[in-house]
Amino acid sequence: MTARRPKSPDRPLRPSEIATELRSRIASRDLPPGGKLPSTKHLAEEFGATERAVYDAVALLKATGHVIGHQGKGVFVRTNEPIEFHAHRFERGQRRDDEQPGLDDWQAGVLEQGRTPSQDIPAVSEEPAATDIAAWLRIAPGTPVLARRRLRRADGEPYQLADSYFPLEIARDCPELSEERDVSVPGGILAYNGHPQSQLRDELRPWLPTPDESERLDLPKGFAGPAIQHVRIGYGGDADGGIPVRVMVTIAPGHLNTIVYEMEV
């Protein structure tokens, strides 16, 4: 590995600067997935920094999910490769749901990338709508909704949380939504039961996973890396008066997901 110490002749490098350089090497694969980081002493000599600064820099990389420590063996670059979440195509047009192998549109998209998709058994509950969920569904806070929570995996590792919420009057027309199993039907459950989504609205914002979300995603302890909250609100057709029929909230850690939109100009 070629030393590429950032120029800083007037002062020692800060841990954040060392971490930025190491992240660059991880991105360029100078430090490949599964590769072991050089020793603290080696990095301190290379960067002209103290061993404490290097230790703190590596702690930052652990907190953002770039590296993982193995007791007695050293610190290694995580092997989890990001997936592309093609949001412009997801659940639009010719959906890729396939009932026979049990693939929904998200799983089919991951499979197309040569990865192995899976989802944990969804947790289903009827609960009062939180303030943000109520706003997206245009209902009063505390109104009962059906929640369907899922953990999505690629190659067996957690990659996304995808929690969907439905007004009860819609959920009652779609009995499959109440089943705690992975349900795949052509066109999706809503369309299959007469409530097709005719319009979608996406909202994206930077997000720091909550402790509960971090635990569900098996993120490193003290995870402080960037994540995206992707909110998709589905509006019904004429039969539903153009009202929201579902909101899906996806939490996608930044080191595991690339959100992609492709548009015509």
Side-chain angles (χ1 to χ4, degrees):
M1 178 178 64
T2 303
R4 296 179 294 165
R5 180 192 173 205
K7 294 180 180 179
S8 182
D10 300 327
R11 59 172 174 78
L13 289 181
R14 299 187 183 97
S16 61
E17 294 171 320
I18 298 172
T20 296
E21 172 62 18
L22 293 175
R23 274 194 295 268
S24 175
R25 296 182 187 183
I26 291 171
S28 66
R29 293 181 178 265
D30 282 356
L31 288 170
K36 185 178 180 180
L37 261 62
S39 69
T40 300
K41 181 179 179 180
H42 177 97
L43 290 173
E45 291 176 352
E46 175 186 342
F47 288 112
T50 65
E51 291 191 15
R52 179 66 198 186
V54 171
Y55 178 86
D56 290 344
V58 173
L60 289 173
L61 295 178
K62 289 179 179 178
T64 54
H66 287 84
V67 301
I68 185 169
H70 294 292
Q71 186 69 33
K73 296 182 179 179
V75 179
F76 297 81
V77 178
R78 279 183 172 263
T79 57
N80 308 62
E81 291 289 312
I83 60 169
E84 291 189 350
F85 178 36
H86 294 265
H88 64 285
R89 186 181 177 193
F90 178 55
E91 296 188 341
R92 295 186 63 228
Q94 189 64 37
R95 289 180 52 144
R96 295 158 291 183
D97 306 275
D98 194 329
E99 186 175 9
Q100 191 59 40
L103 292 178
D104 65 9
D105 197 51
W106 182 85
Q107 290 172 297
V110 174
L111 192 63
E112 288 175 353
Q113 298 174 53
R115 310 290 291 276
T116 302
S118 61
Q119 298 181 142
D120 288 7
I121 296 174
V124 180
S125 62
E126 188 176 314
E127 58 190 59
T131 301
D132 53 355
I133 301 300
W136 287 318
L137 290 177
R138 298 180 190 168
I139 58 178
T143 302
V145 294
L146 184 77
R148 189 175 174 88
R149 294 185 171 85
R150 292 175 295 183
L151 172 63
R152 290 173 165 164
R153 300 176 182 268
D155 303 324
E157 298 295 328
Y159 266 65
Q160 291 182 1
L161 298 179
D163 299 343
S164 295
Y165 303 86
F166 305 85
L168 286 188
E169 61 270 23
I170 299 295
R172 292 186 181 118
D173 285 346
C174 307
E176 296 90 349
L177 291 176
S178 298
E179 300 176 11
E180 290 194 330
R181 65 182 181 93
D182 219 0
V183 182
S184 299
V185 294
I189 295 173
L190 290 173
Y192 183 78
N193 287 282
H195 293 280
Q197 299 171 94
S198 58
Q199 182 179 350
L200 301 173
R201 173 185 170 89
D202 281 4
E203 298 180 4
L204 293 94
R205 61 184 295 193
W207 190 255
L208 183 63
T210 66
D212 175 67
E213 291 165 347
S214 293
E215 183 177 354
R216 292 174 63 194
L217 285 162
D218 195 26
L219 293 172
K221 186 176 181 180
F223 179 80
I228 290 291
Q229 182 195 67
H230 175 273
V231 177
R232 172 158 290 183
I233 308 157
Y235 300 89
D238 294 339
D240 295 304
I243 63 172
V245 295
R246 181 193 71 163
V247 60
M248 180 171 60
V249 181
T250 298
I251 305 299
H255 66 294
L256 298 175
N257 295 268
T258 300
I259 309 293
V260 176
Y261 282 89
E262 294 179 0
M263 305 176 188
E264 295 182 357
V265 295

